[in-house]
Amino acid sequence: MTLTQLRYLVAIADSGLNITLAAERVHATQPGLSKQLRQLEDELGFQLFVRKGKSLDTVTHAGRQVLERARTILAEAANIRSIAANLRNEAHGELRIATTHTQARFALPAAIGMLSQSYPRVSVHLQPGRDSEVLAQLEAGRVDLAVISTAGAPPGSGIALPAYRWHRVILAPREHPLATSGQPPSLDALAKLPLVSYDSSVKADSSLRRAFEARQLQPHVAMTAGDADLIKTYVRTGLGIGVLAEMAMLPADTDLAVLPADHLFPQCTTWIVLRRESVLREYVLEFVTQFAPHLDRRDVARVLAGDTAAGEWTGVPHWRERRQAALAA
């Protein structure tokens, strides 16, 4: 049994049992990957997957147990490599970040730019996706950290470090009655209008949906998108009123009216989520402190090492404070 075989096994499972896709992800040939899988099954004495013709159909009960252990072994192997690289003071490597389109487009560029200045030989790989996909990427070990937002408790998996707070805003064409009324928007008024918002807004546990339901109102979500720029584009076409994160607004968006929604929807928090018991490369810790300067680097390292529990972090700034500080600099 080799680490390569275990890596191939996990790649197959994470690729939806698609051998071709798995081979592409691990930079192997399809015949080579299939051969390694057969050798692993021969050594173990049982099948890891149920076959249907030449395709893999499902993971066997024994396969699920092996997969769980394989992920642990690969994670620990990565930790050993990180320890060795840190002891050698290596300043090169890869930082893989799973996040949403809004974070990748509007919140992360400054921190990634500063990281590049400190570690020019570190390549950063962003993997934008939907909220539901981001943590799955982290749990599967395909990324080093995740950046994701919630309107309540921190994400349930991994170690969550608060980066900043933020609110939603209401977006409308400047000539729209909602923008020209001179009154702050209300949920009653919004419930009568078509809305354009994020994909997550149609989920039953969406904080946007819960805010309407608390007033016994039903929102009419005319369109959803994972990309804030798409939401702005369709607001411009007159499809509906936008409800999106305030950091998605740019100085160039002067053709749109931005109305505050602090009084309508709960405050959200953007989190940096790390795998438990992971050993971080020095440049990963550098990124964390660049993206969230209020997080003490030593405290983060102690939490990761299990010396202290992740509890309440003080001094978490609001996005508006971060923006003002950036403009002042």
Side-chain angles (χ1 to χ4, degrees), residues 70-86:
R71 293 187 191 279
T72 301
I73 291 168
L74 292 173
E76 286 304 315
N79 282 341
I80 292 172
R81 295 190 188 98
S82 294
I83 291 170
N86 288 339

Side-chain angles (χ1 to χ4, degrees), residues 13 51 72 81 92 95 99 102 114 127 133 137 141 159 196 235 264 266 275 284 289 295 300 309 312 315 325:
R51 272 104 171 148
T72 301
R81 295 190 188 98
H92 60 85
L95 173 58
T99 188
T102 296
M114 289 185 286
Q127 299 183 26
E133 300 169 348
Q137 295 257 46
I159 295 174
V196 184
V235 171
L264 301 179
R275 288 196 305 276
V284 180
T289 55
L295 297 176
V300 173
E312 290 294 325

Side-chain angles (χ1 to χ4, degrees), residues 7 12-13 32 66 91 121 153 203 205 207 255 270 284 292 297 304-305:
R7 187 162 61 92
I12 293 170
V66 173
R121 296 173 63 198
K203 294 182 178 179
D205 60 348
S207 59
D255 59 322
T270 291
V284 180
R297 184 169 176 155
L304 281 170

Side-chain angles (χ1 to χ4, degrees), residues 145-302:
L145 59 88
V147 178
I148 194 169
S149 299
T150 67
S157 60
I159 295 174
L161 311 174
Y164 62 92
R165 320 281 193 198
W166 56 273
H167 283 86
R168 295 177 179 87
V169 292
I170 305 300
L171 202 60
R174 286 201 170 275
E175 67 278 6
H176 193 280
L178 197 68
T180 59
S181 68
Q183 299 295 322
S186 67
L187 289 178
D188 294 88
L190 291 176
K192 299 173 184 177
L193 299 169
L195 302 181
V196 184
S197 191
Y198 296 106
D199 298 322
S200 58
S201 63
V202 297
K203 294 182 178 179
D205 60 348
S206 163
S207 59
L208 180 146
R209 184 170 292 277
R210 291 200 306 269
F212 280 97
E213 290 175 350
R215 293 285 306 275
Q216 297 184 331
L217 298 170
Q218 184 68 32
H220 169 40
V221 181
M223 178 182 173
T224 65
D227 188 329
D229 284 324
L230 283 177
I231 294 174
K232 289 189 281 186
T233 295
Y234 283 94
V235 171
R236 289 185 173 101
T237 68
L239 183 65
I241 300 301
V243 183
L244 72 168
E246 62 180 310
M247 54 274 194
M249 301 310 302
L250 298 173
D253 295 323
T254 54
D255 59 322
L256 296 171
V258 183
L259 308 174
D262 297 17
H263 61 297
L264 301 179
F265 306 113
Q267 178 177 258
C268 298
T269 302
T270 291
W271 306 88
I272 303 168
V273 189
L274 306 167
R275 288 196 305 276
R276 295 187 182 278
E277 300 177 356
S278 60
V279 177
L280 299 185
R281 295 289 300 276
E282 286 298 317
Y283 56 76
V284 180
L285 283 170
E286 176 67 16
F287 168 79
V288 170
T289 55
Q290 292 287 5
F291 188 55
H294 61 283
L295 297 176
D296 185 273
R297 184 169 176 155
R298 292 165 298 183
D299 290 340
V300 173
R302 282 195 288 268

